[in-house]
Amino acid sequence: EVQLVESGGGLVQPGGSLRLACAASGFTFSSYNMRWVRQAPGKGLEWVSGIDSGGGITRYADSVKGRFTISRDNAKNTLYLQMNSLKTEDTAVYYCATGFRTGPDRGQGTQVTVSS
């Protein structure tokens, strides 16, 4: 059974940073492309970033490009999202998921709130 458990969310002031982590189990993590998606209050799911199975190819939504960095540690079965220069509009529940752009499995999410 695929399990994805996100952590690292919280309350941060505008301009601040957070690092999200996603612990994966129940599948061969190193063989899967992965992504981060988010859902802001009252809005639909938004793709944020994707990474290939080896970590050599990454892509970002225009809204986060230059501020967020996706990475992975296949030895630890963990996906990361470093978020810098956070803005109020980054407030959302962040989910890790299998697949680069789409995929069937997603975690329960971690709340990120950017507010002064």
Side-chain angles (χ1 to χ4, degrees):
E1 179 188 1
V2 172
Q3 286 199 326
L4 299 167
V5 180
E6 301 91 341
S7 61
L11 173 64
V12 63
Q13 292 187 340
S17 298
L18 282 175
R19 189 193 196 202
L20 306 184
C22 170
S25 61
F27 65 106
T28 306
F29 179 73
S30 59
S31 296
Y32 279 71
N33 298 335
M34 298 292 294
R35 71 189 187 278
W36 287 96
V37 297
R38 67 185 181 185
Q39 187 163 25
K43 297 188 177 181
L45 211 57
E46 177 189 14
W47 178 85
V48 173
S49 180
I51 188 168
D52 76 323
S53 59
I57 298 174
T58 58
R59 297 290 186 269
Y60 300 91
D62 287 344
S63 57
V64 307
K65 200 172 295 182
R67 300 187 297 120
F68 290 12
T69 302
I70 190 171
S71 63
R72 65 192 297 161
D73 186 335
N74 284 344
K76 295 183 178 179
N77 289 349
T78 303
L79 179 72
Y80 301 100
L81 186 67
Q82 178 67 43
M83 305 187 296
N84 298 330
S85 302
L86 282 161
K87 305 175 181 180
T88 55
E89 52 263 44
D90 293 318
T91 294
V93 178
Y94 284 73
Y95 303 89
C96 68
T98 55
F100 200 100
R101 297 276 183 177
T102 62
D105 300 298
R106 192 175 67 184
Q108 293 299 306
T110 186
Q111 175 71 48
V112 171
T113 302
V114 185
S115 174
S116 55

